[in-house]
Amino acid sequence: MTSRLTLALALSISALLLFTTLSPSLSKPSDDEDEFLTFLESSDDEQNDGALSHSSDPQLSDEEDDAGDDDFENYDDFEVPSGLDHDDDDGEYSRLPEIDEKDVVVLGEKNFSDFVEANRFVMVEFYAPWCGHCQALAPEYAAAATELKGEAVALAKVDATEESELAEECEVQGFPTVYFFVDGEHKAYTGQRTKQAIVTWIKKKIGPGVSNITTADEAERVLTSENKVVLGFLESLVGPESEELAAASKQEDAVNFYQTTNPEVAKLFHMDPDAKRPALVMVKSEDEKLSYFDGQFVKSAIAEFVSSNKLPLVTIFTRESGSVIFESHIKKQILLFATSNDTEKVVPIFQEAAKNFKGKLIFVYVEMDNEDVGRPVADYFGIAGDTPKVIGYAGNDDSRKYILDGEVTIDNIKAFGQDFFQDKLKPFYKSDPVPEINDEDVKIVVGNNFDEIVLDESKDVLLEVYAPWCGHCQALEPTYNKLAKHLRSIESLTIAKMDGTTNEHPRAKADGFPTLLFFPAGNKSSDPITVNADRTVIALYKFLKKHASIPFKLEKPVSTPKQESSFAKESSENSANDLKDEL
């Protein structure tokens, strides 16, 4: 009996010694995670007590991380829903009147594919019931559906909040998204969100593209009812020339194309009835009423001519004109910002200068004291005060901006426009004042200190581009601050943030808010790495460890004697219990 007890005791002690020897390697993470990372998520109070527990900071879901707020990120994103009353108490759009949507087909997962396959032409709106832009579009869309009833096209809608899988399958990323399906294949509708624009656009897609005018009465009706038309004066209404004109019309959704062989009709359109055919004219209701085509009568040349001439010399920025501006093949714009009181003084000057850049630059007038339209655009470009200002804008694909330094005169605008067109100007970027004190764990970056902080080749830099009003940014803030606090002792690493609504830099382009960008040390000439990790302290820490050019090691805070004693006591008790069980 004694020998059996002695043997059991010896085996138990051996097992305990073996467990003690192996336990350090079993309890520690391997590879580069030598630190026990759980402490990164603990609160400051818990760290002081030596506790190892996760915080309850709000996490951003994948959907939230896509920056789904209605933020005005791009110049062409600007759109104010018309006909909506805004309730300041709950921040929601008030209920709109009932809309007669009897001619709009309701689609969902069960009938979508069959319906699109059964109809050659289908326009589909993906909407969200709470979306203000969708609410503004609804009556226009319903009216267009009614007017097009009987045509070879169907207008339909999908509630993307109810049919989320279908919306995802169709790559819907915002509301409203409107697609036009032809034989099951779709393209995005980017025209104006009005009944007439939708009807005109669809008729062009399903029809011949060019309408015939055979009588003077028809010509008079067109000239008095439309503010922008193209007329081809041809030898025949069928044949190669008519086909080229029709093909060009398919590329210009905002302009109606007509053709005629009648010299009297040509005369009414201010064309020489004895002119050599084919001839082409664009007639507009603006000051610059007539534009005559003198190129080769082929699709590409006609389309380029119409695109270059469809805008007036100076376009007043409105909801309606915005889409026409951005759809133009001319990307560079010169914008005049002035108040309504200065309109009569500066717009004629602006218009006179614009004559020198027809077909090269788009000239846009923004009435910056118009709170509905002009003020948001002025804010986007960082225009303050009420003094007239002229800015060059390279377009949304480029987004660089240039400022005219001087008075708004014809000569100054012409010289500025010429240098802008030839890429001789230095870009301007918005910037808040450089902070006098910048010693917090999260460094403040503005446009004017971006190079100094973010492009410092000796530092690995994590930059958050945020918006103060963005709820997702606010949810991320405690996590981001905690990360910075843990890493403040790492001299080779900088954690920084920049208000993307008031600061700009060509190296910090944000697709939404918040956007996290990582700039590795010694490689600042390359594009930054977009951080797609989970928005947790541990996930962001692991990302930095993986991508940092300069390796670093973060030491876990030393546990308090109280915790160590408690942990040792618990281990001793467990070992004793194991021993008793074994015995």
Side-chain angles (χ1 to χ4, degrees), residues 9-298:
L9 181 61
L11 290 173
S12 298
I13 293 173
S14 298
L16 180 62
L17 289 173
L18 180 61
F19 175 79
T20 305
T21 302
L22 294 176
S23 60
S25 62
L26 293 174
S27 63
K28 291 178 63 178
S30 61
D31 199 16
D32 65 333
E33 293 179 5
D34 293 331
E35 306 94 321
F36 192 11
L37 296 182
T38 315
F39 80 90
L40 288 172
E41 290 283 16
S42 63
S43 67
D44 293 338
D45 292 338
E46 289 170 334
Q47 282 186 36
N48 292 335
D49 293 336
L52 300 176
S53 63
H54 291 282
S55 72
S56 58
D57 286 342
Q59 307 272 318
L60 294 178
S61 67
D62 291 339
E63 181 179 355
E64 291 170 328
D65 189 38
D66 289 335
D69 303 84
D70 285 334
D71 46 310
F72 178 33
E73 296 173 26
N74 293 310
Y75 176 30
D76 64 342
D77 285 339
F78 176 71
E79 180 177 0
V80 179
S82 58
L84 296 177
D85 295 324
H86 193 273
D87 186 341
D88 292 331
D89 292 333
D90 60 10
E92 299 290 337
Y93 287 102
S94 62
R95 184 176 299 278
L96 295 175
E98 291 295 326
I99 300 166
D100 186 358
E101 296 182 297
K102 63 181 182 299
D103 298 313
V104 177
V105 181
V106 178
L107 297 180
E109 186 72 42
K110 295 181 179 179
N111 65 344
F112 184 87
S113 296
D114 291 341
F115 189 82
V116 170
E117 290 175 5
N119 294 272
R120 186 184 181 195
F121 300 111
V122 183
M123 177 171 276
V124 181
E125 177 204 1
F126 291 85
Y127 72 98
W130 45 258
C131 168
H133 302 314
C134 303
Q135 295 169 7
L137 173 61
E140 303 289 338
Y141 195 72
T146 298
E147 183 164 329
L148 291 166
K149 189 176 181 180
E151 300 278 357
V153 63
L155 271 68
K157 66 176 184 177
V158 174
D159 184 343
T161 64
E162 294 290 337
E163 304 288 345
S164 56
E165 291 186 5
L166 177 59
E168 183 177 352
E169 182 182 332
C170 293
E171 299 181 342
V172 174
Q173 298 180 344
F175 303 119
T177 292
V178 182
Y179 288 141
F180 189 69
F181 288 80
V182 180
D183 295 328
E185 299 294 327
H186 73 269
K187 64 172 289 186
Y189 170 73
T190 58
Q192 299 177 35
R193 295 172 186 171
T194 64
K195 182 203 79 170
Q196 193 54 53
I198 294 170
V199 169
T200 300
W201 191 91
I202 289 179
K203 282 186 174 180
K204 278 197 159 204
K205 298 302 178 185
I206 66 176
V210 178
S211 301
N212 297 334
I213 299 180
T214 58
T215 68
D217 287 343
E218 291 175 349
E220 292 283 5
R221 179 187 57 78
V222 169
L223 288 170
T224 55
S225 63
E226 301 187 32
N227 59 14
K228 191 179 303 176
V229 296
V230 169
L231 178 74
F233 185 28
L234 312 179
E235 292 287 357
S236 172
L237 297 180
V238 295
E241 292 168 353
S242 177
E243 292 172 1
E244 292 290 341
L245 187 62
S249 75
K250 298 287 186 180
Q251 300 185 27
E252 281 296 335
D253 300 327
V255 182
N256 287 331
F257 282 60
Y258 296 91
Q259 61 182 7
T260 190
T261 57
N262 187 338
E264 290 299 317
V265 171
K267 188 175 181 180
L268 289 172
F269 275 79
H270 307 278
M271 302 177 75
D272 182 356
D274 298 321
K276 181 181 178 180
R277 309 181 203 181
L280 189 77
V281 65
M282 173 180 277
V283 182
K284 298 179 291 187
S285 59
E286 292 96 4
D287 292 338
E288 189 198 21
K289 187 174 182 180
L290 303 172
S291 298
Y292 294 97
F293 176 69
D294 60 358
Q296 186 178 1
F297 208 86
V298 295

Side-chain angles (χ1 to χ4, degrees), residues 459-470:
K459 304 278 190 181
D460 287 303
V461 180
L462 177 64
L463 176 70
E464 177 199 7
V465 184
Y466 72 96
W469 43 258
C470 169

Side-chain angles (χ1 to χ4, degrees), residues 228 284 286-288 309-316 363:
K228 191 179 303 176
K284 298 179 291 187
E286 292 96 4
D287 292 338
E288 189 198 21
N309 290 276
K310 64 184 177 182
L311 291 173
L313 281 174
V314 174
T315 302
I316 299 175
F363 278 63

Side-chain angles (χ1 to χ4, degrees), residues 352-559:
E352 185 63 29
K355 293 178 181 179
N356 297 271
F357 301 97
K358 184 178 177 181
K360 297 180 179 179
L361 303 172
I362 297 176
F363 278 63
V364 181
Y365 168 52
V366 180
E367 192 178 87
M368 60 181 175
D369 56 344
N370 182 321
E371 294 297 328
D372 188 35
V373 178
R375 186 69 260 163
V377 176
D379 290 341
Y380 172 78
F381 283 99
I383 303 299
D386 55 8
T387 303
K389 294 179 179 64
V390 172
I391 281 184
Y393 181 57
N396 288 311
D397 293 338
D398 189 316
S399 76
R400 287 178 297 173
K401 308 173 186 68
Y402 308 83
I403 292 183
L404 169 62
D405 185 15
E407 296 183 9
V408 179
T409 66
I410 294 176
D411 290 340
N412 283 346
I413 296 173
K414 287 169 62 177
F416 175 77
Q418 193 64 37
D419 288 343
F420 175 50
F421 182 72
Q422 296 177 352
D423 296 322
K424 294 182 178 180
L425 299 177
K426 182 179 179 180
F428 156 79
Y429 297 104
K430 293 188 295 186
S431 178
D432 288 329
V434 175
E436 295 181 5
I437 300 175
N438 202 3
D439 57 3
E440 297 295 327
D441 296 333
V442 178
K443 306 306 177 188
I444 303 301
V445 171
V446 298
N448 290 338
N449 71 356
F450 188 97
D451 291 359
E452 175 187 348
I453 296 178
V454 179
L455 301 186
D456 182 350
E457 292 285 359
S458 68
K459 304 278 190 181
D460 287 303
V461 180
L462 177 64
L463 176 70
E464 177 199 7
V465 184
Y466 72 96
W469 43 258
C470 169
H472 308 322
C473 304
Q474 295 164 10
L476 176 62
E477 185 175 11
T479 299
Y480 202 67
N481 289 341
K482 186 180 297 182
L483 175 72
K485 185 170 185 178
H486 283 303
L487 298 175
R488 61 186 171 188
S489 63
I490 310 299
E491 295 185 358
S492 63
L493 188 60
T494 298
I495 309 297
K497 66 179 181 180
M498 183 178 81
D499 183 345
T501 66
T502 54
N503 298 278
E504 296 174 315
H505 194 279
R507 301 294 307 283
K509 295 183 178 179
D511 294 329
F513 298 123
T515 290
L516 293 178
L517 302 172
F518 182 68
F519 297 79
N523 194 24
K524 298 301 172 75
S525 60
S526 300
D527 290 336
I529 302 170
T530 301
V531 181
N532 292 320
D534 290 340
R535 297 326 198 219
T536 67
V537 178
I538 290 178
L540 293 174
Y541 170 77
K542 288 182 177 180
F543 176 92
L544 294 173
K545 287 281 287 184
K546 178 180 179 180
H547 293 280
S549 295
I550 304 174
F552 65 90
K553 182 177 178 65
L554 181 63
E555 299 293 339
K556 189 185 79 171
V558 178
S559 300

